[in-house]
Amino acid sequence: MEARRNKIHGEPHHLFWSICGVVFFATAYRWFLVPAGLYGGGFTGIAQLIKLFLQEIVGIGIPEEMDLTGVIFWCINLPLFALGYKCLGGKFLYRTILAVFIQSLLLTFIPAPSSPLLDDLLLNCMIGGALSGLGVGMTLRAGGSGGGLDILGMYCAKKLPDFSVGKINVLTNALIYLAAAIRYDFEIAAYSMVFAVAAGVVTDCTHDQNIKIAAFIVTENKMLGDRISKAVCRGVTSWEGWGEHSRQGKTVHMVVVSKYELQGIKRLIKQEDPQAFVMILLPETTMGNFEKRLEVL
């Protein structure tokens, strides 16, 4: 089953969805963020602030059809590539380099409307943020990242169980928008924060390797727990139970996995015992030896 899944979800599949993700992110930035005069989050926001510094303080002239944010975004990502390789491996690194390169080009050359697409600025922030978060989540789910805080978020999420990419983005963006509010405009910074929060929430919902699931399987198949453990390389706890309605003995298997891994478990259960009873829970907290796996192989 695992070999078949890897064949279907090969490298072209991951690269396709990774590129789609950066297209969504760049489109949200150029079509929703820029026309409204908002500040981007993460390294995009840092690149914006650097660009404004170069324009207003240093006095560097930039052609109107070109946004220097994309170029700066690429430059400040270079030191993070080593961290991405060390933490998450070679596949993550080259997918990230490709994604960041394409994203930098799109941020530089996608034309931005002269005025916001929506008259309601709050609605503009919510829709743009959701589109941005969807793009980030898609790229992360495909085993790459859009660079910047995505790499730092993946690193922290792997090392610290209570952290996620969305949380890291929101916390860091709060500092960026505070600086923007002090230097420029508080209201614009506040709307920008709404954009970032919407993006962070959708990122965590889309990046389902980051979501933990507890599955309880009640079945007559005593070997199903062993099959699940071998399929996902996770620990499975099993115990004997009793069905009061059927008056028959049952075996209960319990496993904690990521939401992404749950799809393979569902297929395995359907194949081994279509009559099994399955209960899925979202645990608030997990403690002990639970490995976060963030890269899609």
Side-chain angles (χ1 to χ4, degrees):
M1 183 187 73
E2 192 67 21
R4 182 176 60 187
R5 183 175 73 88
N6 287 337
K7 182 177 180 181
I8 295 174
H9 292 170
E11 194 59 29
H13 171 91
H14 297 311
L15 291 177
F16 172 78
W17 288 111
S18 179
I19 292 172
C20 285
V22 298
V23 170
F24 284 174
F25 174 86
T27 300
Y29 173 83
R30 295 293 292 166
W31 286 7
F32 290 91
L33 202 85
V34 172
L38 303 178
Y39 299 100
F43 274 38
T44 307
I46 294 173
Q48 275 184 290
L49 294 176
I50 294 175
K51 182 193 74 171
L52 291 174
F53 173 80
L54 294 176
Q55 286 179 310
E56 298 179 5
I57 307 301
V58 181
I60 295 178
I62 302 173
E64 292 185 1
E65 66 275 7
M66 178 180 177
D67 190 341
L68 195 62
T69 301
V71 177
I72 298 172
F73 177 79
W74 168 261
C75 293
I76 61 180
N77 265 284
L78 292 176
L80 289 177
F81 290 150
L83 178 64
Y85 175 76
K86 179 180 179 181
C87 177
L88 296 161
K91 285 186 178 181
F92 176 84
L93 176 64
Y94 84 76
R95 290 172 187 167
T96 296
I97 291 176
L98 178 62
V100 171
F101 177 74
I102 295 174
Q103 184 170 301
S104 299
L105 291 178
L106 295 175
L107 291 175
T108 302
F109 294 109
I110 286 181
S114 57
S115 60
L117 296 180
L118 302 171
D119 293 332
D120 189 326
L121 191 55
L122 181 60
L123 187 60
N124 188 86
C125 293
M126 297 297 291
I127 294 178
L131 181 62
S132 172
L134 176 63
V136 172
M138 288 172 60
T139 302
L140 293 173
R141 182 172 176 173
S145 82
L149 288 182
D150 293 349
I151 297 177
L152 291 177
M154 293 277 278
Y155 176 82
C156 292
K158 190 168 184 178
K159 298 296 183 180
L160 304 171
D162 291 332
F163 277 86
S164 67
V165 178
K167 289 179 181 178
I168 291 292
N169 274 279
V170 170
L171 291 174
T172 306
N173 290 340
L175 299 177
I176 295 174
Y177 295 137
L178 178 61
I182 294 173
R183 174 63 180 84
Y184 297 103
D185 185 279
F186 178 81
E187 184 175 349
I188 291 298
Y191 276 115
S192 300
M193 190 65 186
V194 172
F195 183 99
V197 170
V201 170
V202 176
T203 294
D204 279 348
C205 291
T206 308
H207 183 209
D208 55 8
Q209 294 102 314
N210 192 57
I211 302 173
K212 294 184 287 291
I213 297 290
F216 292 83
I217 305 103
V218 182
T219 175
E220 296 179 1
N221 187 339
K222 296 181 181 294
M223 299 304 298
L224 182 57
D226 181 63
R227 294 292 309 277
I228 292 174
S229 180
K230 290 179 179 178
V232 296
C233 295
R234 296 283 192 188
V236 178
T237 301
S238 304
W239 62 91
E240 296 300 322
W242 176 259
E244 292 293 348
H245 178 72
S246 64
R247 314 302 296 178
Q248 294 180 357
K250 302 285 185 179
T251 301
V252 183
H253 307 289
M254 188 278 290
V255 62
V256 178
V257 295
S258 71
K259 189 176 180 181
Y260 181 84
E261 293 169 318
L262 179 64
Q263 305 309 314
I265 291 178
K266 285 181 177 179
R267 290 191 293 267
L268 178 61
I269 294 173
K270 187 175 181 180
Q271 175 184 332
E272 295 290 326
D273 184 6
Q275 303 302 317
F277 174 78
V278 182
M279 181 173 62
I280 306 297
L281 301 175
L282 287 171
E284 285 191 17
T285 305
T286 57
M287 299 176 63
N289 187 23
F290 180 80
E291 178 188 12
K292 277 200 172 185
R293 302 168 184 169
L294 300 177
E295 183 178 3
V296 181
L297 299 178

